[in-house]
Amino acid sequence: EIPGADATVPVAEKLIAANPKQAAAYRAGKTALLGYFVGQLMKETRGSASPEIVNAVLVRLLSRPENPA
């Protein structure tokens, strides 16, 4: 569990679900896409989320196997 991540996790999950191609590419090894997700999440939260927490949450969620819809 990541301290302070409560508000960030649902936004990150929604963002990953909305971008399945990028998430799949990240999981396939294109880790540079993390920057894309961080940027989108920061835009979604209007910069209110901590970049460290955003990174940690996204890495954790994107490292999980893809959830079947």
Side-chain angles (χ1 to χ4, degrees):
E1 195 61 27
I2 301 161
D6 295 347
T8 308
V9 172
V11 179
E13 287 174 336
K14 187 178 86 175
L15 191 61
I16 291 167
N19 295 280
K21 287 181 182 169
Q22 289 87 344
Y26 177 89
R27 290 181 179 113
K30 295 193 182 206
T31 54
L33 280 167
L34 182 63
Y36 168 79
F37 283 106
V38 169
Q40 293 298 307
L41 207 149
M42 293 305 278
K43 191 164 78 172
E44 191 77 22
T45 61
R46 297 197 172 107
S48 64
S50 158
E52 294 82 20
I53 290 174
V54 167
N55 268 301
V57 166
L58 284 168
V59 167
R60 186 182 60 161
L61 292 177
L62 286 165
S63 296
R64 293 193 308 206
E66 213 166 337
N67 296 333

